[in-house]
Amino acid sequence: MAANDNVAGTVKTVRAAKRGSSSYERKMSLYGFLFALPWILGILIFSAYPLVMSIYYSFTTYSILDPGQWVGGGNYKDLMADGTFWISIYNTLYYTFISVPLNILVGVGLALMLNTKIRGQGIYRTIFFLPSLVPAVATTIIWLWLLNPQFGLVNYWLEKIGISGPGWLGDEHWSKPSLILMGVWGVGQAIVIYLAGLQDIPQDYYDAAEVDGAGTALKLRHITLPLMTPVIFFNLIMGTIGAMQNFVLPYTLTNGTGSPANSLTMYVMYLYQNAFNYLKMGYASAMAWILFLIVALLTVLIFITQKRWVHYQGKE
């Protein structure tokens, strides 16, 4: 009888403890939800709602001043017949497919040089990083001056070695290469990431390679570059997404016109013109979703190919 009383008492104690614990957990969950509530509301109001509405607007003739009418796939059909739309896609892909690999090549090369143990290493790293801190508008003004075909420094130096400089930003054939050159100017942030990747490679690998008689070139080919591929893969993804959304430089360079001959009309620039210059929000929303699909497709393709060329430490 006494034993039964003890068991009953224990059960009551356990149940009371569970009730207390459950009450405490609910209280903590409520506090956690209240702390996260501003962030949740911000996401819903400023991200999720515009995202959903942009899908709806892409099927309407909505403008800021007019609720518009449902046109189904009319905006997408009109885009397929829009010559400037295709020019903007060509310009953007041209810029992306050349500038991203070039930035990776230059970034890795400079990071390799800046990783060597030399006197004044910190100063050199700072010099290469500083351009990435310069605001885009200031960068535009600097390059407009440097690439001026009449009194710019670049053509002046080219003339000194007997080369007649091109018209750069005033020539439709040289405007996109000029823009790519400006993109390389801001490679400093990528260099910092490459340097972090280089310093993450264990010294033991190099020591073992030296014991086997490997020189600098072999160590670079069989150790450094393979172990840098995860960092290159990251910068490739981020660089591709950033290049497809290139806007500030070409817009400020051309004052939003994309001249000469629409050679600098990038996709996001044309989207902006339709949205805010012509108030064709439905048309611009359709452009935004097409851009999303292109970026998603390129990202998926890069992820598929990375199995062949990206090497992670400890997995092979």
Side-chain angles (χ1 to χ4, degrees):
M1 189 65 182
N4 290 337
D5 290 343
N6 289 336
V7 170
T10 303
V11 169
K12 286 180 180 177
T13 304
V14 170
R15 286 178 177 172
K18 284 185 175 179
R19 283 198 297 272
S21 175
S22 178
S23 173
Y24 177 78
E25 289 175 356
R26 284 198 297 272
K27 192 175 179 181
M28 289 298 103
S29 298
L30 178 62
Y31 286 155
F33 175 74
L34 289 176
F35 275 116
L37 185 59
W39 182 84
I40 294 171
L41 288 175
I43 287 291
L44 291 176
I45 296 172
F46 298 111
S47 294
Y49 175 73
L51 185 70
V52 173
M53 290 307 295
S54 72
I55 299 174
Y56 169 72
Y57 288 144
S58 72
F59 296 104
T60 70
T61 58
Y62 169 71
S63 71
I64 295 177
L65 305 176
D66 183 358
Q69 296 178 343
W70 179 267
V71 293
N75 287 328
Y76 295 93
K77 187 178 177 182
D78 290 344
L79 280 170
M80 295 302 108
D82 186 341
T84 310
F85 168 76
W86 290 109
I87 290 173
S88 69
I89 285 186
Y90 168 75
N91 290 340
T92 305
L93 291 178
Y94 179 103
Y95 176 80
T96 301
F97 288 151
I98 295 180
S99 72
V100 173
L102 184 63
N103 280 346
I104 290 174
L105 193 65
V106 173
V108 171
L110 289 174
L112 287 170
M113 287 192 288
L114 293 171
N115 197 46
T116 54
K117 306 295 181 187
I118 57 174
R119 191 175 180 181
Q121 184 189 54
I123 297 173
Y124 294 124
R125 289 180 178 180
T126 305
I127 290 172
F128 281 100
F129 182 70
L130 276 178
S132 65
L133 300 178
V134 178
V137 176
T139 300
T140 303
I141 294 171
I142 292 170
W143 279 99
L144 279 172
W145 174 63
L146 287 173
L147 296 178
N148 187 293
Q150 295 178 342
F151 53 82
L153 277 179
V154 175
N155 277 6
Y156 172 78
W157 290 329
L158 288 175
E159 286 179 6
K160 287 290 182 185
I161 57 175
I163 298 175
S164 179
W168 298 112
L169 293 166
D171 185 334
E172 63 180 290
H173 301 295
W174 281 93
S175 54
K176 282 189 281 294
S178 303
L179 193 64
I180 292 167
L181 184 63
M182 294 180 201
V184 176
W185 166 265
V187 77
Q189 288 186 343
I191 289 176
V192 173
I193 299 174
Y194 290 130
L195 280 171
L198 285 171
Q199 291 169 15
D200 193 43
I201 300 174
Q203 182 61 34
D204 296 347
Y205 294 170
Y206 294 112
D207 295 339
E210 284 182 5
V211 170
D212 291 339
T216 303
L218 284 176
K219 284 190 284 187
L220 175 66
R221 180 182 174 187
H222 294 289
I223 298 176
T224 305
L225 291 181
L227 294 181
M228 282 287 290
T229 50
V231 182
I232 294 172
F233 171 61
F234 170 78
N235 277 324
L236 177 61
I237 293 284
M238 299 308 293
T240 301
I241 294 172
M244 290 297 297
Q245 300 177 56
N246 190 18
F247 174 76
V248 177
L249 269 181
Y251 188 87
T252 50
L253 275 172
T254 65
N255 200 23
T257 62
S259 58
N262 277 331
S263 62
L264 289 179
T265 300
M266 294 293 153
Y267 191 92
V268 178
M269 269 180 64
Y270 189 49
L271 189 157
Y272 178 88
Q273 288 171 354
N274 278 299
F276 297 103
N277 293 355
Y278 314 136
L279 300 182
K280 296 163 65 177
M281 286 292 175
Y283 200 73
S285 297
M287 286 190 68
W289 279 101
I290 290 175
L291 177 63
F292 169 77
L293 292 176
I294 294 173
V295 171
L297 177 64
L298 291 176
T299 305
V300 168
L301 288 175
I302 295 171
F303 265 92
I304 291 173
T305 61
Q306 62 96 19
K307 294 177 183 176
R308 296 176 180 271
W309 59 274
V310 178
H311 307 279
Y312 295 98
Q313 292 188 53
K315 286 196 173 181
E316 296 179 5

